[in-house]
Amino acid sequence: MSNSLSQMTPAEIAASLNLKPFQGKQIFRWIHQKRVFDFDRMSDLSKDLRARLAEGFSANQLELVRVSASPRSEGTRKALFRLADGETVESVLIQDRERSTICLSTQVGCAVKCSFCATGMSGYSRNLTPGEIVEQALYLLRDEEMGERTPNIVFMGMGEPFRNYDATVAAIHLLMNPDGLGIGARKITVSTVGEIKGIERFSQEDWQVRLSVSLHAANDATRTKLIPLNKKYPLDVLLAAVRAYVERTGRQVTFEWTLLDGVNDSRKDAQELIDVVRTVKASVNLIPYNPVAGLGFNPPPLERCEAFRDALVNAGVTATLRKERGQDIDAACGQLRRQHVELAS
Ligand code: SAH
Ligand code: SF4
């Protein structure tokens, strides 16, 4: 919806309604800081302005269908949204005592079709708009008093962010806006499967937003089996792009490695990863696979996950293995998928 205000900056709101800059800010604050989408409740706006808004604009584009709590860990909430064209997306909020993390989707489905991923299996419909991306966070934080503690944001939901580059970047700017959620760049992480052009463009952004690269295997045969895109951008091409990114920005990247039983969890796999990290400044985030019915992959037993991590750490690689609750954000993220059946019922 072109008249949706959630994806406009304060200046854009002011310009499209012919308002003074401070009025653009007021409306932006209602939507992003107070998470109020009902113009009637925007009590410091004049009646006239509220009527004009109601006539020609909407504050939001998403319809919240359902929020469900995770059966496995309290503090985890998954939201299902319906878009104006009937498509659906999901996002997740994970909270524990120390921090909260929100996992956002950037596309409906994903055309990359990684063989272990629920989103890839569901096919690809379309890109999300910046408003549709930001609103996932606004809805999930609707009843939260954040105070000083803003959440972490990870772009690890449905879709490949670098195949929807401009909308992802616009959404990040909205999330960082000090009149909105005001989330610090360092608390935002974009995860890419390895879209080279996106990595190049991202290195030119003048900010401290973090980059994660989904590696999952450090030899081409295994990586191609998991990620068909590896045929187009094999490891040497991908790693050259990551190296160039690190050199240009001086920022560290994180490699994500979804641990799959018998696929990428051996001592040899760990050694190949160690060899890669010797040539690229990166830390490693190990994510035990969250099984998706019908895809034929399983997580390794815990001891094997720990042995993999220990091999990395003993070789001087910074590696984390998130278990139990902490692991949930990654695992829950990786499991997002479209829920036609549930919606229809
Ligand atoms: N398309 C991007 C971002 C979304 S996926 C990417 O691939 O990086 C975010 C992360 O979740 C990726 O590292 C992905 O490999 C991982 N993932 C996907 N499905 C998963 C699952 N079922 N269990 C654990 N991790 C999964
Ligand atoms: Fe797409 Fe990422 Fe899933 Fe691969 S892992 S299909 S790139 S969402």
Side-chain angles (χ1 to χ4, degrees):
M1 223 188 297
S2 57
N3 282 349
S4 173
L5 299 177
S6 66
Q7 62 191 30
M8 297 185 194
T9 63
E12 287 165 350
I13 295 175
S16 56
L17 279 138
N18 222 350
L19 299 172
K20 301 215 167 68
F22 86 89
Q23 291 173 299
K25 268 191 190 179
Q26 276 180 316
I27 296 171
F28 188 88
R29 282 194 198 125
W30 276 109
I31 296 172
H32 292 261
Q33 250 169 22
K34 306 197 182 94
R35 271 91 67 199
V36 166
F37 303 142
D38 177 357
F39 296 127
D40 274 342
R41 287 181 56 206
M42 301 185 179
S43 50
D44 58 1
L45 307 184
S46 72
K47 259 205 166 137
D48 274 2
L49 177 52
R50 278 186 265 163
R52 264 181 72 201
L53 287 170
E55 225 162 78
F57 295 85
S58 72
N60 58 316
Q61 315 173 45
L62 297 184
E63 182 197 336
L64 182 62
V65 178
R66 187 185 58 228
V67 179
S68 46
S70 157
R72 278 196 303 138
S73 83
E74 69 184 272
T76 300
R77 281 190 280 146
K78 204 187 255 196
L80 174 69
F81 300 100
R82 195 182 344 248
L83 314 180
D85 58 5
E87 297 283 2
T88 57
V89 285
E90 286 183 301
S91 45
V92 189
L93 168 70
I94 312 258
Q95 284 174 306
D96 59 26
R97 246 168 273 122
E98 283 119 58
R99 59 181 176 177
S100 52
T101 304
I102 290 181
C103 175
L104 299 180
S105 295
T106 54
Q107 300 183 308
V108 182
C110 183
V112 180
K113 292 195 187 307
C114 299
S115 54
F116 55 89
C117 174
T119 305
M121 196 177 72
S122 70
Y124 167 77
S125 297
R126 72 167 171 89
N127 280 333
L128 297 183
T129 65
E132 287 167 338
I133 297 171
V134 170
E135 277 179 39
Q136 297 166 48
L138 300 181
Y139 272 102
L140 281 168
L141 294 169
R142 232 172 161 185
D143 305 316
E144 305 297 326
E145 271 307 324
M146 286 192 308
E148 297 293 291
R149 286 180 45 207
T150 54
N152 298 306
I153 304 276
V154 296
F155 286 83
M156 296 185 186
M158 298 167 66
E160 167 49 41
F162 285 170
R163 290 201 173 184
N164 189 13
Y165 191 92
D166 292 335
T168 299
V169 165
I172 291 172
H173 281 297
L174 291 168
L175 292 165
M176 295 198 302
N177 193 306
D179 286 306
L181 290 169
I183 296 173
R186 287 190 172 79
K187 299 185 90 176
I188 302 176
T189 302
V190 175
S191 171
T192 181
V193 70
E195 275 293 349
I196 304 300
K197 294 204 179 69
I199 295 173
E200 282 164 10
R201 284 183 76 183
F202 209 65
S203 75
Q204 288 160 40
E205 302 291 347
D206 183 19
W207 59 19
Q208 298 294 322
V209 174
R210 294 176 192 274
L211 178 66
S212 278
V213 176
S214 294
L215 203 61
H216 306 321
N219 69 73
D220 279 317
T222 310
R223 195 163 188 272
T224 299
K225 258 187 237 156
L226 300 175
I227 306 172
L229 189 69
N230 193 68
K231 268 189 240 117
K232 184 171 173 200
Y233 300 128
L235 276 165
D236 57 346
V237 175
L238 172 62
L239 295 173
V242 175
R243 243 173 254 126
Y245 173 89
V246 172
E247 265 160 39
R248 180 168 186 150
T249 62
R251 300 195 289 267
Q252 217 190 28
V253 298
T254 302
F255 286 131
E256 284 164 273
W257 191 282
T258 295
L259 282 162
L260 301 156
D261 191 29
V263 177
N264 64 357
D265 62 342
S266 70
R267 181 61 233 207
K268 179 171 165 283
D269 294 305
Q271 189 55 50
E272 288 170 352
L273 175 54
I274 291 164
D275 293 342
V276 163
V277 175
R278 292 230 162 91
T279 69
V280 189
K281 192 174 155 207
S283 56
V284 175
N285 188 15
L286 301 169
I287 313 160
Y289 182 59
N290 195 358
V292 178
L295 296 188
F297 293 98
N298 292 297
L302 182 58
E303 314 82 70
R304 221 168 151 78
C305 297
E306 287 174 343
F308 195 95
R309 177 203 51 203
D310 293 346
L312 299 181
V313 170
N314 291 339
V317 176
T318 308
T320 50
L321 168 67
R322 306 228 215 113
K323 295 172 274 182
E324 309 298 331
R325 286 177 59 100
Q327 158 204 324
D328 244 13
I329 186 70
D330 306 295
C333 275
Q335 265 216 328
L336 298 182
R337 62 189 304 181
R338 298 164 69 190
Q339 311 224 337
H340 287 301
V341 186
E342 286 177 54
L343 259 188
S345 61

